[in-house]
Amino acid sequence: MYDNILENLREERWQPLTYENIAYCSDLPGVYVITFLGSEGEKFSYKRTCYVGMTNRALRVRIRAFYKSATSRKSGHSGGRTCQRVLEQLDKFGSKKYQITKKDLLFIEIPFMLRHGEQEPFRTARIEYIEKLIQIKVMQATSGKGPLLNSACMRRSEIPTPEFKQRIATLLQ
């Protein structure tokens, strides 16, 4: 039943992560995925997925919080703050090599409606399940490392290390 969601990620409506695009996001809770645009313009690869998140609030609110934290020094979303720090580090050690900016971030939202007769805790469980499934797919594609910007997969101290630089290089291949 959920396999079609995972398969459709490759073909779905990926959009640039911009304030204008976020304004049209859903008011429903759900899962959202942030990825880097591929070098050939390929929109999705589990290997380049840098953040997988979920919310029980409106997707628009949570994605906007990620965007604000990623494009400014404001708090509000730890993944967004990590993204902002990563982009700063890329600038420090030569973005020419890595060719990535916030303009290369794409996102997709997967909203979840309540099914007929379904109680709220069951929708939350479905949302959490899909988030974990996507994270597992990313971990399989990245040799167990997971999405680069998820705090469970990245420590603050990792950002300036050679291992971090290698992860970025692998991510952008």
Side-chain angles (χ1 to χ4, degrees):
M1 173 168 40
Y2 295 112
D3 290 340
N4 62 345
I5 291 175
L6 300 179
E7 289 302 315
N8 289 340
L9 284 177
R10 297 185 190 287
E11 299 151 15
E12 287 292 329
R13 56 206 179 280
W14 288 91
Q15 303 175 66
L17 185 62
T18 64
Y19 193 77
E20 293 79 18
N21 287 338
I22 294 167
Y24 294 103
C25 286
S26 176
D27 284 329
L28 293 170
V31 175
Y32 56 105
V33 182
I34 313 286
T35 189
F36 291 114
L37 183 64
S39 58
E40 302 298 316
E42 179 188 14
K43 291 186 177 181
F44 179 73
S45 162
Y46 284 111
K47 194 174 185 180
R48 282 193 318 280
T49 297
C50 58
Y51 190 82
V52 180
M54 61 147 290
T55 182
N56 289 316
R57 299 182 297 160
L59 280 160
R60 178 178 48 238
V61 171
R62 197 67 182 139
I63 296 169
R64 185 180 293 137
F66 182 97
Y67 178 79
K68 281 183 179 179
S69 294
T71 57
S72 68
R73 295 191 176 274
K74 295 180 180 175
S75 60
H77 194 292
S78 63
R81 285 288 296 133
T82 303
C83 181
Q84 198 256 346
R85 287 194 309 270
V86 166
L87 293 173
E88 283 178 358
Q89 288 297 321
L90 288 174
D91 285 342
K92 285 181 184 174
F93 61 75
S95 60
K96 286 182 184 173
K97 179 177 180 181
Y98 297 101
Q99 297 289 319
I100 184 166
T101 67
K102 65 185 176 194
K103 294 176 186 171
D104 297 313
L105 293 172
L106 301 174
F107 79 99
I108 191 168
E109 58 174 333
I110 307 167
F112 283 77
M113 296 178 71
L114 278 173
R115 293 178 176 164
H116 181 70
E118 181 179 51
Q119 299 294 317
E120 183 57 46
F122 294 102
R123 174 171 60 181
T124 299
R126 287 189 297 127
I127 291 169
E128 290 172 355
Y129 179 71
I130 291 298
E131 178 195 32
K132 295 304 174 210
L133 275 181
I134 296 170
Q135 287 177 342
I136 288 168
K137 290 283 195 181
V138 174
M139 290 180 84
Q140 290 170 340
T142 59
S143 304
K145 296 191 187 265
L148 180 68
L149 302 177
N150 282 79
S151 59
C153 304
M154 179 182 188
R155 297 175 307 280
R156 256 181 225 240
S157 61
E158 184 181 353
I159 292 176
T161 66
E163 181 185 278
F164 168 74
K165 293 176 186 180
Q166 181 59 43
R167 283 190 73 188
I168 291 290
T170 303
L171 183 75
L172 300 177
Q173 289 176 348

